[in-house]
């Protein structure tokens, strides 16, 4: 079993049910809100929460912006697109985000769920976010080739198709430079190390910061 396969399977198996608190604490009323809706890749699985990429994002804004955005991490390990869709309306109503980062789909693929369902769930989440006045950043994912070329290619292509359909920016592969690198996974060979988190942040930073500050 490859490191990439074991890493992605662990995201599917983890069952942490905690929703992380909004970050950073110094954000003031009226600051824009960034809502991160993801799975274990965004939930800092296996490490202190302050070392995960979402916390690093909050720290970067806190250090550089006079009125940093408030980061709400609503990621849950093991989450699927269906679960994210079920939770999203309440999150939109509670936090009224300026930007929604959608980091979901890996667990759908690892369970062999129909790509059509993944596409429909992500499409509906994009629609709900846009209807609520939020911009959307979509984070793409890949799954191991074990599932066959037809499934894996359609799975990955679904993200680009959704980005084009709804005119939203896409990070083609969120784990670019991390997945499959033994130096960037934890001792169990499954989860990304804290050392991998800055790379994960850099993979999305240009698109995220540009989108947050783009004039409407």
């Amino acid at each position: 079993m490859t490191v990439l396969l074991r890493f992605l399977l662990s995201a599917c198996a983890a069952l942490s049910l905690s929703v992380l608190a909004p970050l950073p604490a110094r954000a003031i009323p009226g600051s824009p809100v960034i809502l991160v809706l993801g799975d274990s890749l965004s939930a800092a699985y296996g490490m202190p929460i302050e070392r995960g990429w979402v916390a690093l994002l909050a720290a970067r804004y806190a250090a550089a912006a006079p009125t940093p955005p408030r980061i709400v991490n609503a990621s849950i390990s093991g989450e699927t697109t269906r679960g994210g869709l079920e939770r999203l309306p309440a999150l939109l109503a509670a936090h009224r985000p300026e930007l929604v980062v959608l980091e979901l789909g890996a667990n759908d693929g690892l369970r062999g769920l129909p790509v059509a369902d993944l596409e429909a769930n992500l499409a509906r989440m994009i629609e709900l976010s846009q209807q609520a006045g939020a911009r959307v950043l979509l984070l793409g994912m890949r799954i191991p080739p074990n599932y066959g070329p037809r499934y894996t290619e359609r799975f990955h292509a679904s993200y680009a198709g959704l980005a084009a359909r709804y005119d939203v920016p896409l990070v083609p592969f969120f784990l670019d430079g991390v997945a499959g690198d033994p130096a960037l996974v934890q001792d169990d060979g499954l989860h990304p190390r804290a050392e991998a988190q800055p790379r994960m942040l850099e993979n999305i930073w240009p698109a995220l910061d540009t989108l947050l500050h783009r004039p409407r």
Side-chain angles (χ1 to χ4, degrees):
M1 183 181 292
T2 66
V3 171
L4 173 59
L5 177 57
R6 295 199 310 272
F7 172 73
L8 291 173
L9 285 173
S10 70
C12 180
L15 296 176
S16 171
L17 297 179
S18 60
V19 176
L20 308 181
L23 296 168
R26 60 173 281 193
I28 63 174
S31 297
V33 174
I34 299 175
L35 172 65
V36 181
L37 184 58
D39 49 37
S40 62
L41 300 178
S42 298
Y45 181 86
M47 69 187 70
I49 188 62
E50 63 271 14
R51 302 198 68 182
W53 77 264
V54 181
L56 297 181
L57 172 67
R60 177 175 294 189
Y61 275 125
T67 55
R70 182 166 62 94
I71 314 296
V72 176
N73 191 352
S75 301
I76 295 177
S77 295
E79 185 67 290
T80 62
T81 58
R82 180 178 178 179
L85 176 57
E86 290 173 348
R87 294 193 294 124
L88 181 58
L91 291 167
L92 292 172
H95 301 292
R96 302 183 181 276
E98 175 77 14
L99 193 159
V100 175
V101 180
L102 291 179
E103 182 274 296
L104 288 169
N107 292 318
D108 298 59
L110 293 170
R111 297 176 186 179
L113 301 178
V115 175
D117 291 351
L118 174 141
E119 292 175 332
N121 292 335
L122 286 173
R124 186 57 181 152
M125 282 188 275
I126 294 171
E127 292 169 355
L128 288 172
S129 298
Q130 292 178 334
Q131 290 167 9
R135 295 164 171 172
V136 175
L137 176 61
L138 185 60
L139 305 189
M141 183 52 59
R142 294 182 182 273
I143 57 174
N146 310 56
Y147 293 82
R150 182 177 179 181
Y151 184 85
T152 56
E153 290 169 9
R154 185 182 175 195
F155 175 90
H156 182 62
S158 66
Y159 291 92
L162 288 164
R165 187 195 314 174
Y166 291 99
D167 191 25
V168 300
L170 169 71
V171 175
F173 184 33
F174 177 42
L175 295 180
D176 185 37
V178 174
D181 185 345
L184 294 177
V185 296
Q186 297 179 32
D187 291 341
D188 61 5
L190 302 176
H191 302 97
R193 294 180 183 271
E195 290 81 1
Q197 304 299 310
R199 175 59 187 263
M200 295 161 68
L201 175 57
E202 292 306 322
N203 285 344
I204 75 165
W205 171 258
L208 186 152
D209 192 57
T210 298
L211 185 61
L212 181 65
H213 294 103
R214 189 180 71 189
R216 287 188 177 274

